[in-house]
Amino acid sequence: AHHGDDLAEDIVMRLLRGAGWPGLGGMPGVDHERRLLRPLLDWRKSELRVFLEEAGATWREDPSNSATDRTRNRIRHDILPLLRRENPSFVETARQLWTLAHIDGEYWNDKLPPLSSPIKDYLLQATELDAYQAARLRVYKAVLDAMGPGQALASHLLLLDRAWVRKNCGRTIQFPGDKIARVEPDGIHFSFQHRAP
C-alpha cells in the first residue's frame, strides 16, 4: 500500500516531469475512476514497520524496489536521502503540500463549470476566459482532462494562456494524447489532432 514515503517520491517525480498545481501535490488519496483507496499516506514507512512488528506481522518488500533502472527507485535511493539530509522532516513537508493541493483542488472543483466527459470537440468561449489567470489555467486543465488520457504539463498550459492573452489567433498548442488547443477570435477550440491514416 502507498504510504507517506511513497507520496514524497511521487511529489519529487511530478516536480521532475513538470507537473503544475495542484497535481504537484502528489497522488490522490481516493481515485474513483481506478477504484483505489490509499489510506496510509499519512504514515511513514518506518512507522508502518514498527506497527507491523508490534502486531507480530512481517514486512513484505517488493523485490523490484531495489532496481535502479526505475525512476521511482532512483529517487528513493539517490534523491530523497539528499533531501532528507537538508530537511529531516521532508516526508511531513510533502504531506503538508499534498494536503494544501487537495484543499485547493476541492475549492476549484466546486467553482469550475461541470464538464461531461468524454469531450471530443469543445469551444471555450471568450466570455468564460475573462477571469483570473488561475481560473483560466484550471478551466484549460479541466477541459483537457475531460478529453481523456494524456497529462497536460504546466509549461504547455502556460504557453496556451500566453497565446490567449496575446490574442495569437491561429496559434495551436499540442498536448499529450493527440489533444490540441487552438486560439480563435471567439475563444479556445479544443479538439484532437487528425493524423493521416
Side-chain angles (χ1 to χ4, degrees):
H2 288 114
H3 47 70
D5 294 52
D6 294 321
L7 177 61
E9 293 165 9
D10 188 55
I11 288 172
V12 172
M13 282 178 57
R14 289 170 184 245
L15 176 64
L16 293 174
R17 291 177 178 161
W21 188 253
L24 184 59
M27 66 183 83
V30 178
D31 187 336
H32 296 288
E33 288 181 21
R34 294 170 56 199
R35 300 182 68 185
L36 263 174
L37 182 62
R38 298 181 177 107
L40 302 175
L41 294 179
D42 283 342
W43 288 64
R44 291 191 66 156
K45 182 178 182 177
S46 58
E47 295 169 332
L48 287 170
R49 285 187 106 134
V50 168
F51 174 77
L52 288 173
E53 287 171 11
E54 289 175 355
T58 56
W59 178 266
R60 290 181 55 194
E61 189 75 32
D62 184 336
S64 70
N65 283 347
S66 60
T68 55
D69 60 328
R70 298 177 183 213
T71 303
R72 179 176 291 279
N73 291 343
R74 287 192 303 275
I75 289 170
R76 175 180 297 134
H77 298 296
D78 300 333
I79 297 174
L80 281 181
L82 294 173
L83 293 173
R84 284 193 189 109
R85 196 172 327 146
E86 295 299 321
N87 176 5
S89 300
F90 182 75
V91 172
E92 288 76 18
T93 301
R95 282 196 304 230
Q96 290 170 0
L97 180 66
W98 179 84
T99 299
L100 291 171
H102 290 280
I103 290 169
D104 190 67
E106 284 178 18
Y107 170 81
W108 283 107
N109 288 339
D110 185 54
K111 296 293 181 194
L112 293 176
L115 296 167
S116 58
S117 53
I119 290 175
K120 295 193 184 313
D121 194 76
Y122 189 82
L123 178 65
L124 190 55
Q125 301 284 338
T127 54
E128 299 174 82
L129 296 168
D130 291 334
Y132 288 102
Q133 184 179 24
R136 289 193 308 268
L137 292 170
R138 290 296 181 133
V139 172
Y140 305 154
K141 178 91 167 63
V143 171
L144 289 162
D145 286 348
M147 291 175 75
Q151 215 170 31
L153 298 178
S155 58
H156 290 84
L157 294 170
L158 291 168
L159 190 62
L160 174 59
D161 194 57
R162 190 165 40 251
W164 170 253
V165 169
R166 293 177 179 171
K167 302 296 183 231
N168 292 351
C169 292
R171 178 76 191 270
T172 300
I173 309 297
Q174 173 78 43
F175 291 92
D178 289 331
K179 304 171 202 175
I180 57 171
R182 180 180 170 90
V183 176
E184 298 178 353
D186 54 346
I188 299 175
H189 183 221
F190 293 86
S191 62
F192 287 93
Q193 182 175 353
H194 299 292
R195 296 189 183 274

